[in-house]
Amino acid sequence: MKVNLSNLINGSDYQIELDDTFEINEIKTEGNHIKFNKPVEVNGGIFNTDDGIYLQAKVSFEYTTSCARCLKNITKNEDAMLDYKIVYENDQENSSEDELILEKGNILNLNEPIISSILLSLPMKTICDNECKGICPQCGKDLNKGDCNCEDDNIDPRLAKLKRLMDK
């Protein structure tokens, strides 16, 4: 998603409304595979103030991923925020993390900031329900549908004496 800021910079506009969608199909991270069910919505604006040019927008998206405990597919809705100061390419040495670099031709590329805001808004582990029991590590049965018949004889040697006390 690219936005031309020429009118904002030359002073003919003081604000550019952002009400657009961003097409993204999926994001694969080390521990997660996220599939987007519909285009990502970006709503907000870019403002020219006495202090500089600022971007403020809300990114809304719906995604499907698997539960970290039981591996069942779940669909979630999330919102993320874009909040940046926009600086020119030649001011790049003084820029910080909360600043975006304006490309030549006064074009602002929002692809990377949108994807970054989505990744930062996602939970580290997505679970289908707080009461999710997960799957049995031995037989793989979904423990939400009932207990399995596996015996848990793998006891931490540091806790073996405590188990003997509990069995008495």
Side-chain angles (χ1 to χ4, degrees):
M1 171 187 255
K2 293 187 178 190
V3 181
N4 188 339
L5 302 184
S6 295
N7 290 342
L8 198 68
I9 292 169
N10 69 22
S12 60
D13 288 338
Y14 293 101
Q15 176 179 340
I16 296 175
E17 290 290 326
L18 292 176
D19 188 15
D20 207 351
T21 58
F22 177 69
E23 279 291 332
I24 183 169
N25 294 325
E26 63 186 8
I27 296 175
K28 292 181 183 180
T29 62
E30 192 171 306
N32 214 346
H33 180 88
I34 300 142
K35 184 177 181 330
F36 293 91
N37 302 330
K38 56 186 181 181
V40 174
E41 296 176 12
V42 180
N43 298 301
I46 302 173
F47 310 94
N48 191 354
T49 66
D50 294 336
D51 207 23
I53 300 174
Y54 292 90
L55 163 69
Q56 291 181 326
K58 181 171 92 169
V59 178
S60 304
F61 57 98
E62 180 181 294
Y63 68 99
T64 300
T65 190
S66 57
C67 175
R69 292 182 186 165
C70 69
L71 305 178
K72 180 176 78 170
N73 279 345
I74 51 175
T75 300
K76 297 268 187 175
N77 290 306
E78 293 286 337
D79 291 325
M81 293 302 296
L82 291 174
D83 194 7
Y84 293 98
K85 181 177 182 180
I86 299 168
V87 297
Y88 296 101
E89 227 172 2
N90 53 1
D91 295 336
Q92 196 168 333
E93 306 91 36
N94 303 329
S95 68
S96 66
E97 287 181 11
D98 58 343
E99 294 179 338
L100 291 179
I101 308 301
L102 188 60
E103 297 176 0
K104 291 178 183 166
N106 297 329
I107 302 295
L108 182 64
N109 188 347
L110 294 177
N111 294 355
E112 189 177 314
I114 290 172
I115 292 172
S116 294
S117 70
I118 288 171
L119 289 172
L120 290 172
S121 70
L122 293 173
M124 290 184 73
K125 291 189 178 189
T126 307
I127 56 172
C128 59
D129 183 22
N130 287 336
E131 303 298 318
C132 180
K133 297 177 182 177
I135 57 175
C136 174
Q138 293 176 0
C139 68
K141 180 178 179 182
D142 186 350
L143 298 175
N144 295 313
K145 296 178 180 176
D147 292 334
C148 64
N149 295 326
C150 296
E151 291 201 24
D152 190 16
D153 58 352
N154 293 334
I155 298 171
D156 188 334
R158 298 169 292 182
L159 300 175
K161 288 186 179 183
L162 183 61
K163 178 162 177 19
R164 277 187 257 139
L165 284 172
M166 297 296 283
D167 288 341
K168 289 183 181 182

